[in-house]
């Protein structure tokens, strides 16, 4: 259960944009790399804490060595006892024991930090002793430990270095030094050091990486966004301008392939339209001949049946051709007075059906559109309402972003599960929409194709109290002045 919840949380936190995902991946990679290289700060901090204690210990050990070297061998034991204090223990050992200690040291795995500390101590001792006695002294670091372990790097106020080393006294004697040395009052602020490290190394770097990643990805994704816009425009208009062939090589190749696809689609649609136009023209010729021959048929009832069948065939061919060519034969966009268009269509269809079609609301300004296609769209919606509802009503609502025309009727309505299907070509509702009243199931399909060609849509819904509401939504390309 916990794993499922963790997975759901990660999915919610995972960025939804490509730029966000790339930025997150870059930041995660940077943090991982920084965590690995953070050991440099760890060693630097450890060396910083060891430097002062080692310098103090080196000076003290050099003084002890000089004092013991000035004494005869038999007097050194008493002096060692005098010099030894709590935290600073001196022991005289012979050459054999010193050799065994150094052999144990050689067999132990080497530590880089101890090697650096040993070099520091050796340099300090050599410098002090060279100035005083003018000769090098054998030196071996046996053990080095920063008191408290890893947490000392953050919590110690006066870190202590535990050191064990050997110094050569000559005459077969070695001086073993076991000492604990601290900062001697040197102020250490480890949390401030950690905060400074995290702020400058992590936080500032994350901010810089995120900003650079977002800018870089945004620039890199701009051609992809442009291609997405072009694909959306292609779905609305096959004659939309092709993509420019600029940018990186991969972008140019993708744009070239997209333009070739657009051209193939446009050529295919044009070829289909030309083919059906030719078929329609060829069908009209035998239909006309059959109509002429039917005039010689007897009796009259048989002649009327032939006439009706031929008229239906010709109407079906014309409607199908309108479906294929009507939404595409748009011409040039023009600024159209929507109020005049709605009033003209309402008046023409009202007179043809012998009804009055009321209009409420007004458009605020002309609409940039394809006039002939938009007139056909509105006419089909209104004819559909008059055919099935016997009456109709028009409502216009306009804003800076959207023009909306509602076509209302009081017909039988449409079943909820069939509201989307009636916009498909050749779909007819046999029961609820009275198929016997005419139509081939293309009127709403043509209207929907015209609406989509304008970047809009048609939304169908049943009205309270019965009837259908067909909403034509047309976006405005530019805001109102």
């Amino acid at each position: 259960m916990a794993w499922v919840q963790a997975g759901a949380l990660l999915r919610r936190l995972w960025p939804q944009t490509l730029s966000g995902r790339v930025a997150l991946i870059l930041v995660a990679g940077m943090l991982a790399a920084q965590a690995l290289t953070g050991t440099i700060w760890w060693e630097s901090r450890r060396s910083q804490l060891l430097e002062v204690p080692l310098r103090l210990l080196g000076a003290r050990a050099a003084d002890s060595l000089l004092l013991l070297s000035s004494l005869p061998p038999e007097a050194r034991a008493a002096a060692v006892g005098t010099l030894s204090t709590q935290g600073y223990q001196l022991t005289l050992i012979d050459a054999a024991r010193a050799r065994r200690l150094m052999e144990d040291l050689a067999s132990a795995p080497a530590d880089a930090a101890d090697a650096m500390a040993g070099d520091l101590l050796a340099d300090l001792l050599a410098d002090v002793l060279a100035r005083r006695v003018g000769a090098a002294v054998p030196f071996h670091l046996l053990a080095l430990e920063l008191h408290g372990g890893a947490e000392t790097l953050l919590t110690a106020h006066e870190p202590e270095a535990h050191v064990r080393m050997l110094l050569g006294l000559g005459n077969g004697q070695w001086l073993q030094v076991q000492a604990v040395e601290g900062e001697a009052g040197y102020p250490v602020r480890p949390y401030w050091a950690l905060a400074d490290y995290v702020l400058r190394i992590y936080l500032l770097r994350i901010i810089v990486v995120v900003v650079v990643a977002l800018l870089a990805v945004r620039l890199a994704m701009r051609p992809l966004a442009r291609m997405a816009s072009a694909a959306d425009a292609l779905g609305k208009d096959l004659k939309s301008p092709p993509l420019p062939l600029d940018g990186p090589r991969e972008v140019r190749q993708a744009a070239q392939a997209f333009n070739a696809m657009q051209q193939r689609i446009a050529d295919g649609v044009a070829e289909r339209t030309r083919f059906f136009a030719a078929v329609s023209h060829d069908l009209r010729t035998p239909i006309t001949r059959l109509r002429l021959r039917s005039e010689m048929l007897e009796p009259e009832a048989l002649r009327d049946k032939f006439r009706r069948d031929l008229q239906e065939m010709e109407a079906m061919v014309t409607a199908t051709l309108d479906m294929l060519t009507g939404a595409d034969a748009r011409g040039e966009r023009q600024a159209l007075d929507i109020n005049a268009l709605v009033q003209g269509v309402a008046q023409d269809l009202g007179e043809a059906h012998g009804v009055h079609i009321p209009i409420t609301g007004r458009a605020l300004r002309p609409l940039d559109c394809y006039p002939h296609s938009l007139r056909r769209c509105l006419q089909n919606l209104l004819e559909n309402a008059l055919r099935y509802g016997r009456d109709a009503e028009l409502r216009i609502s306009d804003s800076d972003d959207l023009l909306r025309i509602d076509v209302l009727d009081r017909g039988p309505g449409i079943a909820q599960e069939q509201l989307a299907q009636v916009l498909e070509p050749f779909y007819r509702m046999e029961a609820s929409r009275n198929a016997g009243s005419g139509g081939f199931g293309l009127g709403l399909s043509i209207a929907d194709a015209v609406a989509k060609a304008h970047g809009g849509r048609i939304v169908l819904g049943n009205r309270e109290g019965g009837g259908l509401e067909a909403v034509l939504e047309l976006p405005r390309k530019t805001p109102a002045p």
Side-chain angles (χ1 to χ4, degrees), residues 407-408 413-414 416 419 459-464 467-471:
V407 181
L408 312 173
I414 300 177
Q416 190 68 29
L419 285 175
V459 181
L460 302 179
N462 292 306
R463 301 178 63 188
E464 293 185 5
L468 184 70
E469 178 182 18
V471 180

Side-chain angles (χ1 to χ4, degrees), residues 53-99:
L54 290 180
R55 286 185 180 277
L56 294 174
L57 180 60
R60 190 173 181 181
D63 292 338
S64 300
L65 184 65
L66 289 174
L67 178 61
L68 293 174
S69 298
S70 63
L71 298 175
E74 61 274 8
R76 291 174 181 174
V80 164
T82 303
L83 294 175
S84 297
T85 61
Q86 184 178 2
Y88 186 73
Q89 297 293 324
L90 300 179
T91 307
L92 290 175
I93 61 176
D94 55 22
R97 184 180 176 187
R99 190 180 305 109

Side-chain angles (χ1 to χ4, degrees), residues 230-295:
D232 183 64
L234 177 63
K236 300 174 183 177
D237 185 4
L238 289 177
K239 299 177 182 178
S240 59
L243 285 173
L245 301 178
D246 55 7
R249 181 176 60 185
E250 294 82 1
V251 174
R252 294 197 303 270
Q253 292 175 348
Q256 187 174 7
F258 182 88
N259 292 338
M261 177 194 69
Q262 178 179 353
Q263 187 61 44
R264 287 194 297 269
I265 294 175
D267 292 343
V269 172
E271 182 64 25
R272 183 190 66 173
T273 303
R274 287 193 297 269
F275 170 77
F276 196 83
V279 172
S280 176
H281 179 271
D282 292 343
L283 282 175
R284 284 193 175 114
T285 301
I287 289 175
T288 302
R289 290 199 302 265
L290 287 173
R291 181 180 291 111
L292 293 175
R293 293 172 181 172
S294 67
E295 296 299 325

Side-chain angles (χ1 to χ4, degrees), residues 67-255:
L67 178 61
L68 293 174
S69 298
S70 63
L71 298 175
E74 61 274 8
R76 291 174 181 174
V80 164
T82 303
L83 294 175
S84 297
T85 61
Q86 184 178 2
Y88 186 73
Q89 297 293 324
L90 300 179
T91 307
L92 290 175
I93 61 176
D94 55 22
R97 184 180 176 187
R99 190 180 305 109
R100 288 195 299 271
L101 291 176
M102 287 184 284
E103 289 176 354
D104 293 341
L105 175 65
S107 62
D111 185 274
D114 291 347
M116 293 175 60
D119 293 340
L120 176 61
L121 267 177
D123 293 341
L124 290 171
L125 290 169
D127 182 61
V128 173
L129 295 175
R131 288 199 310 266
R132 297 186 182 182
V133 299
V137 175
F139 165 79
H140 293 281
L141 180 65
L142 299 179
L144 174 63
E145 180 184 355
L146 189 63
H147 179 71
E151 67 275 7
T152 304
L153 298 182
L154 300 178
T155 60
H157 296 285
E158 291 187 359
E160 294 179 340
H162 292 230
V163 179
R164 185 183 176 196
M165 57 184 174
L166 292 177
L167 298 174
L169 281 172
N171 298 323
Q173 282 188 330
W174 288 79
L175 178 64
Q176 179 179 251
V177 181
Q178 289 181 290
V180 177
E181 191 64 66
E183 294 279 353
Y186 178 75
V188 179
R189 306 174 71 184
Y191 287 109
W192 281 103
L194 179 64
D196 178 69
Y197 174 78
V198 171
L199 176 65
R200 290 193 299 169
I201 303 300
Y202 279 90
L203 184 59
L204 292 181
R205 185 174 296 185
I206 288 174
I207 294 175
V208 171
V209 169
V210 169
V211 172
V212 172
L214 289 177
L215 291 177
V217 172
R218 192 175 296 272
L219 290 175
M221 293 298 106
R222 186 175 297 171
L224 184 60
R226 187 171 55 191
M227 188 173 298
S229 300
D232 183 64
L234 177 63
K236 300 174 183 177
D237 185 4
L238 289 177
K239 299 177 182 178
S240 59
L243 285 173
L245 301 178
D246 55 7
R249 181 176 60 185
E250 294 82 1
V251 174
R252 294 197 303 270
Q253 292 175 348

Side-chain angles (χ1 to χ4, degrees), residues 345-404:
V345 173
Q347 183 176 357
D348 292 344
L349 292 181
E351 292 177 354
H353 290 78
V355 297
H356 172 67
I357 302 176
I359 303 173
T360 57
R362 290 184 59 81
L364 301 178
R365 67 185 191 278
L367 177 70
D368 184 31
C369 65
Y370 303 105
H372 297 292
S373 296
L374 189 57
R375 180 182 180 87
R376 174 177 296 173
C377 173
L378 184 59
Q379 182 175 334
N380 287 358
L381 292 177
L382 198 53
E383 284 181 344
N384 189 76
L386 292 173
R387 178 182 298 118
Y388 301 112
R390 305 301 179 186
D391 61 358
E393 177 185 355
L394 292 173
R395 296 176 185 173
I396 304 175
S397 57
D398 198 2
S399 65
D400 293 342
D401 302 323
L402 185 68
L403 172 66
R404 171 172 168 162

